[in-house]
Amino acid sequence: MFTELNSILNTNPDSITPGEFILISDRQSDASFLIHHFLSFYLKARCKVCFLGLVQSFNHYHAVSQRLGVSLLQAKEKGQLVFLEGLSESLSVLIPQEDNAGSQAMDFLRDPAAGLKSLYEFVRSSLNSPDGAEDWGPPVLLVDDLSVLLSLGVSVGAVLDFSHYCRATVCSQLKGSMVMLTRCEGEEEEDEGDDEGSERLLKGLTHQCSLTLHVQGLPTGYCREIHGQVEVCWRRRPVAGQYTPKKLFQYKVHDKGASFFAPGTSSAVL
Amino acid sequence: MLTELLHGADTGGFLVIQDSTSCSGRHLLESFISAALNREEAVHVLGFDVSEEELTGGLKGSAIERLHFHNAYTDPLGWTDQPSLTLHQFCSEELSHLLKPTSHSKSTILVIDSLSWILRHVNPPAVCKTLHQLRKGGAVRAIIALLHADMHQRGTVGSVCHLASSVIKVAPGMKGDETVAKITKRSKSGKVVQDEEIFSIKEDLSVTVHSKRSQPGLKQTETEEQEADPTANLTFNLRLSDTEREAKEKLALPFVFSKEKKSALLHSGPGSGRILYEPDANDDYDQEDPDDDLDV
């Protein structure tokens, strides 16, 4: 959890805005440090978290979270965290073994044209089920990352349907929050004619979400002291007079956290 | 022209609000809903994009009773067990059935939020057909639709906009809360009017139009050029009066070689110094080339 980012977004684990849909996107850069931030943030806020980890193994997320002061293993055991390990799940779908039936969540791998209804059912059931013993806070869905689904043969429309259903259930019905990461490969293109899938996905998700964090490399090229820039964009109706739709920050990722600063005010420059 | 559209779109009108990721048109859509409600009209919303709470959050007062929200947000594809409105119901028969409860069909406005959701699942010709039938069917007085233009191919956007009687394209303005609206309006006589206006939306969803620009871009550059006059506030004088000019012309400049100067230099007056040189006996003085010893 990065406290600097919390103050930028005006939140802290004790007071979470309900119904937020935060979209993290990156272009020729890596925004996964933000996913780790939100994972530890919501676990510290005692939310019930459903994490769809499609790019890395559980051990990877666990190792990073431990550095940020949260144990995923414990959270999983307590029932606070529901983790879908995309890598091993998809393997059990592709190479079925008799003793391991695998969950229904990755059913779209068998027939990508059928859509992501099964994955949505998984999210809904894991966030809905009353877990008896402990009473957790508002539910949170985290996805790392959505563009992997495109590579697995799912169409852009199906991914947008999935995110729409998740938003309707998690944000509107259960008053929880949602954080999704999506990646864009190429340069920003002005030509609207032949949009790549990831570009269309980003646009569609941007129309749905309430806050975007767009991570880019520095336009001037590589720098050792500044790892890139984040554009924060609020898409909700402004609150009484405060009109700040966009802010730009530069960031540097440290071993156990990250620092954010206004462009040009890096400690290496000043 | 924007205020004109807000205060009662003409009967049988079809208004499209086009937005993109850089500028959301939802606030403008909400302003249109609020304006229609204030006119005592019944508003039916086909809500795909946002929930009822989110859409009606900014609306206040008793007028909300006349707003009928048809919830296609929670389950548009019928994935859960109890869908209230699905995409399959987007055809003119089903929709006119939906709109029936309000008796005054003369003052019913259908709001589609958003057309993009429908266009993603239903093929464009079918959507256009339904829209056309709705317009001509007489069930509604006007249709207002939001369209995320950057989500679709240009041809799809074009064919929907050809159906529309008015198209408002929103784009981010220069200052914080200002939005630029490019309006194209087709009147029934076939005349097409284009206009560009800058507006902002207050918290009570009222629209304030700041300036009207009939020829976009032209006026602004003119004023900029006027402002950028470099001779406006100088600390010195750039022009000469007649006396000043005379004085200037009288003055002899140091590099001008006049007769007086020449004579003064050649015939130096008494008392000035001069160089006398008497060659030594040892000097190898060459008469023909006196400068021989200079190493040139």
Side-chain angles (χ1 to χ4, degrees), chain A residues 38 51 53 93 109 113 115 153 162 190 234 247 249 252 258 266:
Chain A
F38 283 109
F51 190 99
V93 170
L109 282 173
F162 169 71
E190 290 298 314
W234 284 269
K247 273 184 186 171
F249 295 96
K252 186 185 181 190
S266 155

Side-chain angles (χ1 to χ4, degrees), chain B residues 23-69:
Chain B
C23 182
S24 172
R26 175 150 292 111
H27 304 324
L28 187 62
L29 184 75
E30 285 168 13
S31 298
F32 269 95
I33 294 173
S34 147
L37 288 174
N38 289 339
R39 282 200 307 270
E40 309 262 312
E41 288 175 323
V43 178
H44 286 260
V45 181
L46 299 183
F48 286 91
D49 263 18
V50 295
S51 63
E52 187 172 1
E53 296 87 60
E54 214 173 312
L55 189 77
T56 57
L59 301 169
K60 286 181 191 78
S62 58
I64 271 188
E65 287 166 22
R66 287 191 299 277
L67 179 82
H68 305 271
F69 187 84

Side-chain angles (χ1 to χ4, degrees), chain A residues 114-117 120-121 124 158 161-162 165, chain B residues 75 77-81:
Chain A
L116 295 168
K117 192 182 168 186
Y120 162 69
E121 296 286 351
R124 193 169 58 135
D161 288 344
F162 169 71
Y165 265 91
Chain B
D75 193 7
L77 302 173
W79 281 8
T80 56
D81 303 328

